[in-house]
Amino acid sequence: MTIETVRVPDLGGAEEVEVIELTVAPGDRVEVDQTLLVLESEKATMELPSPVAGVVTRILVAEGDKIAGEGDPLVEIEVAAAAAAVEAEDPQESAGPAAEQEKSRASKAAAVAAEAPTLKESEKPASSPRSRDEAARGGGDPAPTAEEPSRGLQPASVDPAEGAGRDDSGSAVYAGPYVRRLARELGVALGEIEGSGPRRRILKEDVQSFVRRRLEAPAAAGAAIPAVPEIDHARFGPVSGGELTRIGRLTAANMHRSWLNVPHVTQFDAADITELETFRRARARDAEERGLKLTPVPFILKACAVALRDNPVLNRALGGDGASFVQREYIHLGMAVDTDRGLLVPVIRDVDRKGIWELAAEITAQAERARAGKLQVKDMQGACFTVSSLGAIGGRGFTPIINTPEVGILGVSRAGVQPVWNGTEFAPRTLLPLALSYDHRVVNGADGGRFLTQVVALLSDIRALLL
Ligand code: CAO
């Protein structure tokens, strides 16, 4: 049995790096270049690839450990039989006492580390063809490129300002050498994969499930979409151009993905909010004293929270395999906010546990933060369901697109007074048009119908919200 000890390589001048993730556990079988652990310095996140194939026997560090000493042992791997046999044939390896062997392996590991870019090197942009030529002329190996990862420390992510660690489209891609090689072998563009690791790093499993989904998708779903022909609009009159905002581009990508992946059904109804409006207007002064504006939106959020509690199907997320689901036990709602820079969806958490005033205050605060560009990524994560209210803007109805992986979204249009037959006569009532879009893979028409009927009932008689 041959044990390879993987050690801390040259840290390229970084004073201290932290182990932020262990990607293997004792007993795991690893391939050459498979990431063993992820290190992070002040400037970069780096993956330490395995120099050998074998089985992990011991991990000598823990997540959160700070390491500084070059040569300190990190992981022990029992080398695969074939590799061990090759090593056994090496007289330098087989001869001599155990200490000699250990020294030899340590120097081999150091050689591997030396072969790789040091931390400083890896933070530089990928080497240019010129530097590769120069290296070749000098007789040494050309410097590694993104296509040709070396063994040793690999940058998993770098300070975006330094311009490396990006895919062809210019977006940051966080993936280690093993994953990059796997993706290359499978012909997958890493930029298309959403990483599930820390900092959205792309893991081996992400590549595998991406390929599985592609294979299971109906024959060439993406490829079958006919391209829209490019038109020279200037032929027909004066034009000007512009760029979508960053948020606009993200929204476009998300909406397109959802539109292509999710079979949407949209169901319509209207809630009689005459009593709600009377109640709301009666509290206008109270609201003013609290420094708030009491609009219908907090009542709508609250009604959705109660209906989600009673119709948990709408609070599920479909598993990546398409055959399982996650049932959320919390009720966080996304709320679409129209801003100068585009559509943002902050998340109001635990709506079921909050009162109307608390919700009104939070809606105002989140909408203000969205419009001031102060939302952080975490403020927009974790929603179970979204409410998109165009009530203040107008319109009699629209079919909202689901914010996947959520399975439902409620579109709210402008309320107006209409004559409603009460059995004896037409009476003026304030009706609020509602449209519920749901993912028909998860939510059946009956589920959607029950949910929307309950929302309508709750808004028509807000006393029921207390129950
Ligand atoms: N019908 C009639 N009036 C409505 C209404 C409705 N459904 N909803 C709100 N209003 C009224 C409010 O009561 C308020 O009037 P008063 O001051 O007289 O009461 C007025 O419209 C302005 O409301 P507001 O927009 O300031 O606040 P809000 O709570 O209604 O909405 C927010 C907050 C953040 C949801 C909203 O400002 C917003 O950004 N909506 C756009 C969402 C969006 O873009 N969705 C599309 C996504 S898909 O592309």
Side-chain angles (χ1 to χ4, degrees), residues 280 293 295-297 336-338 371 388-392 413 415 432:
R280 189 175 72 82
K293 195 163 68 169
T295 72
V297 173
V337 179
D338 177 41
R371 288 179 179 132
S388 176
S389 172
L390 289 175
S413 295
L432 177 71

